[in-house]
Amino acid sequence: MSIPALILFFAVIVLPFITGVIYSFTSWRGTYFAGGEGVLDSFVGFDNYINAFKNEKFLNAFGYTIKFTVVAVVAINIVALGLAMMITSLKRGGGIFRTIFFLPNLLGGLALGFIWQFIFQNVFSEVLFGANGLIHIPFLTNMLQDNTKALFALVILVTWQMAGYMMIIYITGLNNIPQDLYEAAQIDGASSFQQFRVITIPMLMPAITIVFFLTLANCFKLLDQNIALTDGNFNTRLLATQILRTTRDTAPPDYGLAQAQAVIFFVLIAAVTLIQLSLTKRREVELH
Amino acid sequence: MRKRLFRVLIFIVLTVLAVITLSPVGFLVINSFKSQSEIVASPIALPTEWNSGYVLTAAEQINFFGSLAITFIITLLSVVLIVLASSLAGWMIARAKNRLASVMLYMFTAAMLIPFQAVMYPLLSLFEGVGLKNIPGLIIMYGGFGLSLSVFLYHGFVKSIPASIEEAALIDGAGMLKTFFSVVFPLMKSTTATVVILNALWIWNDYLLPFLVIGNAPARTLTLELYFAKMTSGQFGNPWELIFPAVFVSIIPIIIVFLILQKHIVRGISDGAVKG
Amino acid sequence: MRKMLKVFSVCLVAVMLSAMLSGCGNMMSTGYDLYIFNGKGESAQALKDAAEAYSRETGKKVKTFSLGSGTSSIDTLRAEMNSKNMPTIFSIVNIQELKEWEEGGFVMDLTTAPDGAFKQLADEIPENMRLTSNGTNSYGIPYNVEGYGYIVDTRMVDALFGNGASQTFVTDAKNATYAEFVSLVTAVDSYIKSGTVATVTLGGKPYTFQSAKTDLSSKLTGVFAVAGSEKWTYGDHLVNVALNAVFDNPADAAAATDGQISALKGPLRAYARVLDMKTSYAAGRDGKVSRGADFINTTTANYDSAVQIFAESKALFIKQGNWAYTNIQKFNGEIVKTLEFIPVKLPLEDGDVVSDVKTADKLNRSISVYVPNYYAINAKATDEQKQAAMDFLVWLNTSESGQKFVTEDMAFVPYNADHTNIITDNSLSNSIIRYMKEGDVLSNPYGGAPVGWSGDTLGLEIMEKYLTKSEWTADDYNAIADYGIAKWKEMK
């Protein structure tokens, strides 16, 4: 039954990826193999991997990606869960809010980056938080011109984009919690916070697992938004951008090196997300 | 009384957040009715006059209805392919209690993490070799890329429903496929809605893959048309009076589709709530 | 639920069938004699029209595919080169981009072409415009030339110095020294601020401001329209003028010795001073703007906004090229009729100019004119395809009908314009042609600098560290020059 899926999967992902891994051990240039006729003549062993770890831009992007992902995953989860809890507590009107918060998921493409540049450079820097703005908050001005501020600008953008979707998962999770649990807790005199900690969080574990996984994977792979906001200026390249730009930083384009970076990148995120999955899963099991 | 006050407060907070969430969309809308000099000079101001000429010009320049049809067909077929392949696979993996199944799940999950650039050129060469550097090939590629997340979601859902229902059908003598489509698939409505929306959005807005696969063909998707329209106006400047209205018209269909499907998502979610 | 099954199978069959059909389609025939991959998006339609006209004349079928410059374009070209149906003619931007196609064996050396019209066309490419990796080979036929300098509106010159002043101003400004140019800039600045009437000397000739501002000259808010967030304007184009003091063409720059790179110290310092001067007198929407965070704001200090400021007569000069013509026209259809180029001048000292063929004077009266794109012929194509490619390029560049497409439809300045009597409808093109005839043109050595050195490294450093800083000192000039030199040596 899963044969169609497996065929698709092998043709589109597995075969090209294995080929890609092989190429990461060669001096592949995108359209040809340097130093010989075919793949074998062009074999360079682990050179590309060694060079990747010697590449300052790659190491920078590595660290920046991890920092960004940690902050973004936390922010998206808090916002998404907060929205979900607020919406489920409403008697009416929840549907409209859900639709509105989901809407940013529908937008992509060329204009989005420009819109957000305006928001950060114009609306934030002048109208709202500038020296003559509504409230003067220096941290929120010129956010795209500083390594740390740009990280938070990117977090704001991805939270806007992803929180709505994650919110829907949390709403489903919250609706699945039996109300009598809360009623019983109230009779026992538990405070709202205690109820949240003892009932809501444990019962939400399956939803949390999915949301964490989705946000982790999406944040690690973030590319378009990074290019749209800062284009990697001020040392703000994320790993996906770094891989894409490696072929532009070098002439002839060093696809072997880019491919090696991609493999390292894959191993990293695979390790992190799989560890995360099995950790949260274990918690789920323990709680049941 | 206190509870009511609390609700009103939450309502206000949500309204403020909703306005903030919508403001970028509003920005897109107001700038779709302005001239280039108005956009560049005063981007956050309302248009001095609501001139729909820019929207009409943009729609014409990106060959709106033609490219809409192509985008629609590509998105539709890709999503159908993804839904069918991944729902079956998700179901099988969740029900099979063997090692192979868990290996497969991990494989699908891990594949979500492969950066597109890592498979780009090998994938294109492979597909070109079998004569699939065209729209059908593009659909198959989307099918492959969309699988991972979808299998993951279906698998998660199937785990949460008891196997007893399908077992009854199987005992009654129905075949596997029939059991799946008559018993299991209808149960997965909410997940299907989610899978459809997620994949449709991504495929609708994607530009790199269509570029590489069908970039030089006469039939173009909306995003390709948009790119080509932008390109003809020079290498440095941005023709905003074309870009904003073009993006605006190209997201209208997806918003309409979303608003229609939204009911299914809501129903799916409440179904889940009852069952839980 | 039978229905579901049906839908499923119908869909699968449909996908498979169409896959097979189109697969066969691909194999049967390509349906064209020549496939051109064009990397200059602006000329997409014109090239297509030219190809159709060519088909009508010769019966050969030509397929064109155009993409703008940028990442997705080069990715798509690479994908096409990996494919069975490779383009026979494709475009190459500069010798950095040439490297991969040369190493991969994708480009035909035009000096090896068989005798005939094409060989002659290739041999006649002016030496400094050749796409060459070692000085003897030649890998491309130029698309056209583009040029840049300070663009000035001659009506504004008349408004400032009285009617008729513009007739001599352009020549005098061309021949002016750096010091004269700077005194013009500061005088215009105080005229804008307080209407101070002064007399400035340009090329030895005096120019006195009108005592009363006109409608036009009172619009001025600053001397230069500057796009601080566009690294390429100062990182690539402005720095290129300085590189000309040491290198005569991209190939020179690509083969730079450590000694030559070190010799950039003086020119790069001069470059930093010019940039300081330029950015100290920048025009804004409502008044002068100063360096700072807003100066590199991507929404208000980008190419479009700088062009708009100039088009609305708020700045006297904008350093841009003839490609800006249509962008300026979009904002102001009148101003484009009266535009002229004036050279970007550098405060070079004796000894800064290492190049044998240039002097500081020559640099200061020349504008950069260079080939932005080349047509290359795919060496892996069949002989038949190559011949079709050569025939087409000969037709495009020598036949009357082909040239008409180049100068009118594509609105290009032909690379051999100095030998012709072309006068176009485009004021900036005409200005470039005049400089070419006078022989006062500089090359584009930045195209031979290490990949990413100019815009993405030096330009980035300047944007991040200097354009946000209000005062620059001599130490800053030195630091900028040293940074550029150190990075070049490191990236070489």
Side-chain angles (χ1 to χ4, degrees):
Chain A
M1 283 314 108
S2 31
I3 286 173
L6 280 178
I7 294 176
L8 267 180
F9 187 64
F10 269 90
V12 179
I13 312 257
V14 179
L15 279 182
F17 186 62
I18 291 174
T19 317
V21 173
I22 296 171
Y23 287 2
S24 73
F25 294 98
T26 68
S27 41
W28 184 39
R29 296 290 174 261
T31 47
Y32 62 96
F33 293 91
E37 280 299 298
V39 190
L40 288 178
D41 299 328
S42 181
F43 193 73
V44 292
F46 281 92
D47 283 6
N48 288 327
Y49 288 87
I50 296 166
N51 288 336
F53 280 111
K54 277 189 198 155
N55 186 327
E56 209 180 307
K57 285 180 177 162
F58 178 70
L59 295 177
N60 251 326
F62 205 104
Y64 201 70
T65 308
I66 292 175
K67 268 195 278 182
F68 162 73
T69 308
V70 170
V71 181
V73 167
V74 171
I76 295 170
N77 275 279
I78 291 176
V79 172
L81 185 56
L83 289 177
M85 289 177 68
M86 283 195 273
I87 285 177
T88 46
S89 77
L90 286 181
K91 270 189 177 152
R92 266 183 297 176
I96 295 168
F97 285 122
R98 190 168 36 207
T99 308
I100 291 175
F101 293 128
F102 190 83
L103 208 66
N105 277 277
L106 308 179
L107 300 175
L110 209 53
L112 190 71
F114 188 69
I115 293 173
W116 275 94
Q117 283 193 358
F118 261 103
I119 291 173
F120 286 121
Q121 308 248 37
N122 231 305
V123 182
F124 270 41
S125 297
E126 274 148 40
V127 185
L128 292 180
F129 310 114
N132 304 313
L134 223 53
I135 338 160
H136 184 44
I137 308 177
F139 185 79
L140 294 176
T141 61
N142 301 314
M143 291 186 79
L144 307 184
Q145 298 178 17
D146 175 274
N147 184 279
T148 312
K149 285 186 190 179
L151 187 132
F152 286 92
L154 202 54
V155 169
I156 292 174
L157 168 54
V158 297
T159 307
W160 174 77
Q161 271 191 315
M162 296 183 197
Y165 179 72
M166 306 305 158
M167 170 198 73
I168 293 210
I169 299 179
Y170 277 134
I171 289 178
T172 321
L174 287 171
N175 284 339
N176 279 341
I177 302 176
Q179 281 306 308
D180 44 4
L181 283 182
Y182 288 109
E183 282 155 20
Q186 270 160 11
I187 292 166
D188 291 346
S191 71
S192 303
F193 180 72
Q194 280 169 328
Q195 290 176 37
F196 176 74
R197 201 172 56 88
V198 181
I199 302 171
T200 313
I201 291 288
M203 293 302 288
L204 267 185
M205 258 352 251
I208 292 178
T209 309
I210 292 192
V211 170
F212 257 81
F213 175 75
L214 290 178
T215 43
L216 256 183
N218 282 334
C219 291
F220 261 123
K221 283 207 297 189
L222 204 74
L223 173 72
D224 293 346
Q225 292 89 334
N226 186 215
I227 291 177
L229 283 193
T230 56
D231 200 17
N233 293 343
F234 299 95
N235 260 327
T236 57
R237 270 190 194 178
L238 294 178
L239 274 174
T241 313
Q242 165 64 21
I243 293 168
L244 184 73
R245 287 293 155 82
T246 296
T247 58
R248 232 179 60 176
D249 290 345
T250 46
D254 200 340
Y255 275 86
L257 178 63
Q259 210 69 28
Q261 294 179 3
V263 172
I264 299 171
F265 176 47
F266 170 72
V267 170
L268 168 78
I269 43 180
V272 171
T273 34
L274 294 182
I275 290 170
Q276 179 260 329
L277 265 190
S278 58
L279 277 183
T280 35
K281 274 231 178 94
R282 195 172 304 152
R283 282 209 64 186
E284 257 176 69
V285 175
E286 282 165 3
L287 288 161
H288 273 279
Chain B
M1 195 58 211
R2 239 187 90 202
K3 210 161 186 181
R4 201 160 146 199
L5 199 76
F6 186 63
R7 280 217 181 104
V8 171
L9 200 73
I10 284 186
F11 198 84
I12 293 170
V13 172
L14 282 173
T15 310
V16 171
L17 289 175
V19 170
I20 294 174
T21 305
L22 285 181
S23 57
V25 186
F27 185 90
L28 173 69
V29 176
I30 59 171
N31 282 301
S32 301
F33 295 91
K34 292 189 201 165
S35 70
Q36 175 86 1
S37 48
E38 242 189 302
I39 297 171
V40 175
S42 39
I44 34 183
L46 284 174
T48 43
E49 55 170 331
W50 291 85
N51 186 346
S52 59
Y54 300 108
V55 175
L56 296 177
T57 314
E60 196 189 312
Q61 218 169 333
I62 60 171
N63 181 24
F64 182 65
F65 291 103
S67 54
L68 180 70
I70 290 166
T71 314
F72 183 76
I73 290 169
I74 291 176
T75 309
L76 179 77
L77 290 180
S78 308
V79 169
V80 168
L81 186 64
I82 293 171
V83 165
L84 292 173
S86 60
S87 58
L88 273 168
W91 177 54
M92 291 305 287
I93 291 174
R95 288 296 181 248
K97 295 264 181 281
N98 55 30
R99 224 187 152 73
L100 184 71
S102 57
V103 168
M104 271 169 63
L105 181 66
Y106 271 103
M107 246 171 42
F108 279 117
T109 316
M112 246 184 282
L113 312 170
I114 296 176
F116 173 67
Q117 279 74 27
V119 295
M120 189 164 84
Y121 286 122
L123 175 73
L124 288 170
S125 314
L126 187 77
F127 270 61
E128 223 243 330
V130 293
L132 277 173
K133 198 161 171 280
N134 46 31
I135 289 181
L138 184 63
I139 291 169
I140 295 173
M141 287 183 200
Y142 279 134
F145 284 118
L147 268 185
S148 298
L149 178 62
S150 312
V151 168
F152 181 77
L153 291 174
Y154 276 118
H155 168 263
F157 179 79
V158 173
K159 261 196 334 184
S160 75
I161 51 172
S164 47
I165 310 170
E166 12 175 320
E167 276 156 10
L170 281 174
I171 289 165
D172 286 349
M176 287 281 261
L177 262 186
K178 198 182 163 199
T179 308
F180 176 75
F181 282 107
S182 56
V183 180
V184 184
F185 195 71
L187 280 177
M188 306 199 285
K189 232 184 295 172
S190 60
T191 312
T192 303
T194 314
V195 166
V196 167
I197 275 283
L198 275 186
N199 286 295
L201 280 178
W202 150 67
I203 294 168
W204 192 272
N205 285 322
D206 187 39
Y207 70 96
L208 189 53
L209 203 53
F211 228 117
L212 297 169
V213 181
I214 54 164
N216 61 359
R220 292 175 185 157
T221 63
L222 274 171
T223 48
L224 284 184
E225 284 286 358
L226 186 60
Y227 177 88
F228 281 98
K230 176 190 177 314
M231 166 192 98
T232 49
S233 61
Q235 60 189 121
F236 298 121
N238 282 305
W240 297 117
E241 65 181 12
L242 172 69
I243 295 176
F244 278 112
V247 171
F248 177 56
V249 294
S250 66
I251 62 165
I252 289 175
I254 195 90
I255 288 184
I256 292 173
V257 170
F258 166 69
L259 290 179
I260 296 168
L261 270 181
Q262 139 108 348
K263 285 183 188 147
H264 288 268
I265 295 184
V266 173
R267 198 183 307 149
I269 289 169
S270 41
D271 281 356
V274 172
K275 199 182 68 269
Chain C
M1 280 306 120
R2 276 273 155 76
K3 234 165 68 193
M4 276 303 222
L5 259 176
K6 255 187 204 155
V7 173
F8 174 52
S9 35
V10 167
C11 281
L12 264 190
V13 169
V15 170
M16 300 267 176
L17 251 171
S18 45
M20 276 158 61
L21 278 177
S22 45
C24 295
N26 275 353
M27 272 169 246
M28 275 185 316
S29 86
T30 51
Y32 50 80
D33 301 298
L34 174 63
Y35 171 14
I36 303 174
F37 189 106
N38 166 32
K40 206 163 173 61
E42 309 89 287
S43 64
Q45 190 56 45
L47 184 68
K48 199 168 166 226
D49 294 343
E52 274 162 18
Y54 180 71
S55 298
R56 277 194 301 275
E57 279 182 34
T58 61
K60 299 257 187 209
K61 280 232 157 37
V62 182
K63 172 187 167 179
T64 63
F65 176 34
S66 302
L67 282 182
S69 44
T71 321
S72 22
S73 161
I74 191 77
D75 281 340
T76 311
L77 176 56
R78 286 181 192 135
E80 291 293 279
M81 286 303 202
N82 278 328
S83 124
K84 281 182 306 242
N85 302 319
M86 288 188 270
T88 311
I89 295 179
F90 61 103
S91 56
I92 297 180
V93 173
N94 58 27
I95 58 170
Q96 292 298 346
E97 209 177 283
L98 168 67
K99 280 185 187 165
E100 68 177 294
W101 306 122
E102 188 184 24
E103 193 182 68
F106 288 95
V107 271
M108 180 179 130
D109 184 352
L110 306 186
T111 58
T112 66
D115 284 333
F118 183 77
K119 173 98 173 152
Q120 196 189 344
L121 180 73
D123 286 347
E124 280 171 8
I125 302 170
E127 193 107 4
N128 257 358
M129 292 185 184
R130 286 193 188 171
L131 182 66
T132 172
S133 59
N134 62 9
T136 53
N137 55 22
S138 175
Y139 287 117
I141 302 285
Y143 268 57
N144 62 332
V145 290
E146 290 181 349
Y148 61 87
Y150 295 127
I151 299 176
V152 65
D153 174 15
T154 50
R155 289 177 315 156
M156 183 63 85
V157 173
D158 286 340
L160 287 173
F161 300 109
N163 279 339
S166 63
Q167 285 173 6
T168 50
F169 179 87
V170 175
T171 316
D172 288 334
K174 181 187 167 195
N175 293 323
T177 62
Y178 180 75
E180 284 176 328
F181 185 75
V182 171
S183 58
L184 167 73
V185 169
T186 49
V188 172
D189 181 59
S190 46
Y191 186 69
I192 295 169
K193 263 193 294 207
S194 44
T196 317
V197 173
T199 300
V200 291
T201 316
L202 286 173
K205 199 168 167 292
Y207 286 85
T208 308
F209 285 94
Q210 298 245 64
S211 48
K213 286 188 188 176
T214 67
D215 284 351
L216 193 62
S217 63
S218 52
K219 284 186 187 165
L220 288 174
T221 64
V223 185
F224 298 96
V226 182
S229 73
E230 309 277 2
K231 291 173 292 189
W232 53 273
T233 65
Y234 41 90
D236 290 332
H237 290 165
L238 187 62
V239 84
N240 182 56
V241 182
L243 300 189
N244 264 286
V246 177
F247 306 110
D248 291 325
N249 51 50
D252 261 10
T257 61
D258 275 359
Q260 281 177 307
I261 300 169
S262 301
L264 282 171
K265 176 91 188 214
L268 284 179
R269 213 162 33 197
Y271 154 78
R273 275 178 64 190
V274 172
L275 193 59
D276 183 14
M277 187 268 294
K278 235 187 90 182
T279 51
S280 300
Y281 299 98
R285 190 152 298 290
D286 317 302
K288 193 172 162 177
V289 292
S290 327
R291 286 190 296 251
D294 286 343
F295 208 82
I296 58 168
N297 187 316
T298 45
T299 63
T300 54
N302 58 26
Y303 174 72
D304 292 302
S305 23
V307 165
Q308 181 163 15
I309 281 171
F310 177 76
E312 291 176 350
S313 300
K314 289 176 176 163
L316 177 60
F317 298 117
I318 183 170
K319 186 199 61 54
Q320 274 304 341
N322 57 322
W323 53 80
Y325 186 87
T326 46
N327 304 95
I328 298 172
Q329 195 175 31
K330 214 183 277 176
F331 293 117
N332 183 345
E334 278 305 301
I335 197 175
V336 284
K337 295 174 186 161
T338 48
L339 300 178
E340 285 282 351
F341 279 113
I342 283 173
V344 171
K345 295 172 192 299
L346 295 179
L348 287 170
E349 286 155 27
D350 289 337
D352 283 342
V353 182
V354 180
S355 156
D356 312 329
V357 296
K358 279 177 250 165
T359 60
D361 265 359
K362 162 92 176 160
L363 268 167
N364 278 344
R365 62 166 194 270
S366 305
I367 63 169
S368 297
V369 173
Y370 63 99
V371 180
N373 248 312
Y374 291 88
Y375 296 106
I377 296 180
N378 190 339
K380 299 193 175 179
T382 63
D383 286 346
E384 207 182 351
Q385 288 170 325
K386 283 184 201 163
Q387 192 55 50
M390 291 188 256
D391 292 345
F392 177 78
L393 289 175
V394 168
W395 174 83
L396 186 68
N397 287 295
T398 60
S399 79
E400 205 176 309
S401 42
Q403 280 291 282
K404 196 180 134 296
F405 279 104
V406 173
T407 55
E408 288 175 23
D409 296 51
M410 300 180 189
F412 281 172
V413 180
Y415 66 93
N416 46 11
D418 47 338
H419 302 303
T420 63
N421 286 312
I422 293 169
I423 295 171
T424 69
D425 298 334
N426 179 314
S427 56
L428 291 176
S429 298
N430 291 337
S431 191
I432 290 176
I433 294 171
R434 230 173 359 259
Y435 277 94
M436 286 170 82
K437 289 200 181 203
E438 288 160 5
D440 288 332
V441 291
L442 303 175
S443 175
N444 63 325
Y446 83 90
V451 61
W453 174 81
S454 52
D456 288 341
T457 305
L458 184 61
L460 184 69
E461 170 88 354
I462 285 169
M463 185 182 84
E464 290 179 355
K465 296 214 180 113
Y466 294 96
L467 292 186
T468 50
K469 186 174 168 187
S470 58
E471 294 296 324
W472 292 12
T473 63
D475 286 346
D476 290 326
Y477 302 154
N478 277 323
I480 289 172
D482 290 340
Y483 181 83
I485 291 166
K487 280 289 167 184
W488 189 318
K489 286 181 180 165
E490 181 190 315
M491 295 166 83
K492 192 167 71 151

